Amino acid sequence: MAIHAPLYRTSTRIFGAASYHRSDQVRLIGSQGNLIATWGRMGLPFSVKKGGEQVMNFEDVLGVGLTFIQYLLLFFWAYWMLISLFGFGKPKRLKEHKPLKRFLLMIPAHNEEAVIGHLVENLHNMDYPKELYEVCVVADGCKDKTSEIAGKLGATVIEHTYLPGEQKGKPYGIKYAIEQYGDRLIDDFDGIAFFDADNLVSLNYLREMNNHLLNGDQLIQCYLDSKNPDDNWVTIGYSVSYIFMNRSWQLAKSRLGLGNAIGGTGFCVDTTLFKTIGWTARSLTEDLEFTMQCLLEGVPAKWCHFARVYDEKPESFKSSCIQRLRWARGHWDVCFKYAHKLIWRFISKLDFKAFDGFMYLINPGKIVLSAATGLLVIMSMATDLLDAHHLIPWQVWMMCLLFQFIYVGYAQFLDSKNKVSLFRSYAYLYFFNLTYVPLFLWSLITMKNVNWNPTKHTRAIHLSDIEVEE
C-alpha cells in the first residue's frame, strides 16, 4: 500500500499528515523524505498526538535539535574566531631585566630513569646564575633508579612513598614536596616552576620568567612544544594542535588581556600566590584546576611565547587515547566544580576574565568544535538535513573551517621548529581531532573514574637534538 503524505511548511515547522506502519511504503515530498521514510519503515512513530491533536512530530524534534546545535556551534565559533584574530602578527617581548628572582624548579617523577637525567642536566645549564635557582626531583612512588640518577647529577631529591589505599598521582607528590620545603618555599624562592620528567627546556626559560615576575605577573605559562613531533601521525597530530592553540588561543588571549591556561608543565608561580591559593588541586588535570582557582582570586595566567618546554608525546594511538581520556575526565571534573563560581564572579564583579574562564570550561575546545562542525557539514551533504533546516547556510560552516585551515598553516609556518608537510599536518590533525569527540563523550560518562594512568616516557634525547631559537 502506498501512502502519499503531503508536508506543509509553516515557518521552520513541517507537519506530516499520516501515521506509518512497518509494512507501509512511504513516499514523501521534500528533501527530508528519505530520512523520514526510513523512520517509518522501522516502525517508529512519525508524530505524537494528544486529544486528537498533533502536538509534536519527528520533524519538529529534528528541527529543534538541529537549530540548537547550529546556534551553539556558531556561538562558540564566533567567540573563538574573534579571539583568534589577535593571534596574528609578531608577539611582543617584555622589558629585559637583570637576574634577580630566585626559583625552585620542581620535577614530579614516577619511574622516569630513562629520561630524568637529560632534564636535570638541561636545567643545570640554564642561562641564569646558578646560585639563584635549585632543581628538585620528587621521586613519587618510584621503584627504579630515578632518585639515584637525579641525586648524582646534583638535584635535590625528595622521595615520596604511598601507604596502602592512598590515592596516587602527581598532585599528591607535589603536595608532599611542598610540605617538606615548609617556610623555605617563601623565604628562599620568589617563584616555583613545574616540569614533567620527560621535558626539555629552552635555556632562556629562567630569564623570561624573571622578566615576567619583575613585570608583576604571578602565574606564567611558557610555550608548549613537542620533543618528538614527526615520529608518526599521532605525534604529528599532537604537535600541530599544540602549535595552533599556542598562537590562536594563548598568544591571542594574552594580547587581549584575558587569562591564559597553564598546561601542566613549564609554568611558573609566584611563591606568595602559591601560598595564598594553596595546593589543593586534586583533579586529573590539576593544572586546569589551579588555573581556575587563581582566576577566582582575580589572578589570570600570563603567556610567555619566547621560552619553550618540549614534551614527549605518546607514539601509540592507544596510549594517546588513555592520556587524552584522563585529560577529558579532568576537564569535566573541573568544569562541574568551578563553572558556576566563575559565572557568578562575572555577574557579581563584572570580571570578563572569569566569563572567559567559564567559556573555556563549558566547551571542550576548538579541536572538538572543528571536528563537530565537519561532521555537521558531512551529515548535511549526505542527508540534506540542512536543506530542510537551513537556519544557517552551509557556506558559513565552510568559512569557519577555512579560517581554521588557513590559521593552522600560518601557525606552522611561523612557530614550528620542525617543519612537517602541510598536507600531513592537515590530514593527521583532522583525524586526531575527530577521535577527541568520542573521548569527550565517554569521559563525561566515566568522569568519576579518577585512577591515574601515567604515560611511559622513553625518548632520552638532548636539547641540542632539537632546533631551538633564542
Side-chain angles (χ1 to χ4, degrees), residues 348-368:
S348 61
K349 297 183 180 294
L350 298 179
D351 183 356
F352 191 78
K353 295 183 183 71
F355 175 77
D356 180 68
F358 167 79
M359 286 291 294
Y360 184 73
L361 288 182
I362 65 169
N363 80 90
K366 280 185 177 178
I367 48 180
V368 176

Side-chain angles (χ1 to χ4, degrees), residues 133-145:
Y133 70 94
E134 177 180 326
V135 178
C136 171
V137 173
V138 184
D140 190 32
C142 291
K143 297 179 181 179
D144 63 357
K145 296 181 179 180

Side-chain angles (χ1 to χ4, degrees), residues 106 108 174 178 192-196 205 264-269 274 279:
M106 186 169 287
I174 292 175
I178 295 301
I192 176 171
F194 295 90
F195 302 97
D196 289 336
Y205 177 84
T265 186
F267 70 95
C268 180
V269 191
F274 193 82
W279 187 250

Side-chain angles (χ1 to χ4, degrees), residues 160-203:
H160 178 220
T161 57
Y162 292 92
L163 296 173
E166 276 191 306
Q167 284 187 293
K168 300 178 180 180
K170 180 178 174 181
Y172 302 96
I174 292 175
K175 178 178 181 294
Y176 180 79
I178 295 301
E179 290 172 350
Q180 300 310 301
Y181 271 92
D183 292 338
R184 271 198 67 207
L185 191 67
I186 299 294
D187 296 338
D188 295 352
F189 305 104
D190 302 299
I192 176 171
F194 295 90
F195 302 97
D196 289 336
D198 60 293
N199 293 165
L200 293 173
V201 186
S202 64
L203 300 182

Side-chain angles (χ1 to χ4, degrees), residues 3 18 43 51 60 80 82 97 114 144 162 171 181 183 234-235 271 411 436 470:
I3 297 178
D60 288 329
W80 284 85
L82 180 62
H97 293 277
D144 63 357
Y162 292 92
Y181 271 92
D183 292 338
V234 176
T235 61
T271 51
Y436 259 108
E470 291 292 345

Side-chain angles (χ1 to χ4, degrees), residues 139-301:
D140 190 32
C142 291
K143 297 179 181 179
D144 63 357
K145 296 181 179 180
T146 297
S147 299
E148 181 182 341
I149 294 170
K152 286 182 178 179
L153 291 172
T156 300
V157 177
I158 296 177
E159 296 190 357
H160 178 220
T161 57
Y162 292 92
L163 296 173
E166 276 191 306
Q167 284 187 293
K168 300 178 180 180
K170 180 178 174 181
Y172 302 96
I174 292 175
K175 178 178 181 294
Y176 180 79
I178 295 301
E179 290 172 350
Q180 300 310 301
Y181 271 92
D183 292 338
R184 271 198 67 207
L185 191 67
I186 299 294
D187 296 338
D188 295 352
F189 305 104
D190 302 299
I192 176 171
F194 295 90
F195 302 97
D196 289 336
D198 60 293
N199 293 165
L200 293 173
V201 186
S202 64
L203 300 182
N204 66 333
Y205 177 84
L206 289 180
R207 285 195 287 109
E208 295 294 341
M209 295 304 112
N210 178 68
N211 293 338
H212 274 278
L213 291 181
L214 289 172
N215 189 53
D217 301 335
Q218 295 179 277
L219 177 61
I220 311 102
Q221 174 63 55
C222 80
Y223 193 102
L224 295 171
D225 208 338
S226 300
K227 192 163 75 171
N228 55 327
D230 52 3
D231 282 358
N232 58 25
W233 74 268
V234 176
T235 61
I236 290 175
Y238 269 110
S239 177
V240 176
S241 64
Y242 269 59
I243 289 169
F244 169 61
M245 290 296 292
N246 284 336
R247 177 167 283 273
S248 68
W249 189 240
Q250 298 279 42
L251 176 60
K253 289 177 70 174
S254 69
R255 284 176 164 171
L256 284 167
L258 298 174
N260 292 102
I262 60 175
T265 186
F267 70 95
C268 180
V269 191
D270 177 88
T271 51
T272 302
L273 174 66
F274 193 82
K275 183 178 180 180
T276 300
I277 301 295
W279 187 250
T280 60
R282 296 293 180 270
S283 69
L284 292 174
T285 48
E286 78 291 333
D287 50 341
L288 179 61
E289 185 170 4
F290 188 74
T291 301
M292 298 306 155
Q293 289 174 340
C294 292
L295 204 53
L296 286 170
E297 293 296 323
V299 182

